[in-house]
Amino acid sequence: MRRIENHPVLGPDSSAEVGITVDGREVIAREGDSVAVALWADGQKLLRRSKTGQPRGMYCGIGHCFECRLLVTGDDGSNVSVRSCLTPVRQDMCITTEAGE
Ligand code: FES
């Protein structure tokens, strides 16, 4: 995990850990992270591929470009496409990227 654990101005990061599942893999995020930030901190920048196979990931970071779309499994088991830069993590969240191999 790549994070600033003890910022020189803001001090140490004391946010709670949040367990999420990404493509079947357990990832530890931090409370307050967006999904995109949690994945970025975990080293995963590739979130999906375009129709022509080009890699896509977080670009604008503010919800405008839609490049960071991925699927989140809802409580009813259905997958919902979300912009990961705007979607906060929550405990036991199940995420599916469309990054491919
Ligand atoms: S990075 Fe642009 S909408 Fe998420």
Side-chain angles (χ1 to χ4, degrees):
M1 181 178 286
R2 297 176 298 185
R3 291 181 181 270
I4 299 172
E5 298 290 345
N6 191 4
H7 192 276
V9 175
L10 301 175
D13 182 358
S14 59
S15 53
E17 292 187 342
V18 177
I20 61 176
T21 303
V22 181
D23 297 332
R25 182 174 58 89
E26 297 293 320
V27 172
I28 301 299
R30 293 282 176 85
E31 191 175 63
D33 280 354
S34 68
V35 171
V37 164
L39 294 180
W40 187 286
D42 192 56
Q44 182 173 347
K45 295 180 180 176
L46 177 61
L47 302 178
R48 67 181 187 88
R49 291 193 179 273
S50 70
K51 288 182 180 177
T52 59
Q54 297 298 308
R56 293 290 186 256
M58 185 163 59
Y59 181 63
C60 73
I62 56 173
H64 285 236
C65 71
F66 288 72
E67 292 291 353
C68 64
R69 294 185 312 267
L70 44 68
L71 300 174
V72 172
T73 304
D75 293 336
D76 65 353
S78 63
N79 286 327
V80 178
S81 179
V82 300
R83 286 171 284 177
S84 62
C85 70
L86 297 180
T87 305
V89 294
R90 58 180 163 73
Q91 183 64 39
D92 300 325
M93 186 179 229
C94 187
I95 296 159
T96 304
T97 70
E98 298 173 347
E101 292 299 317

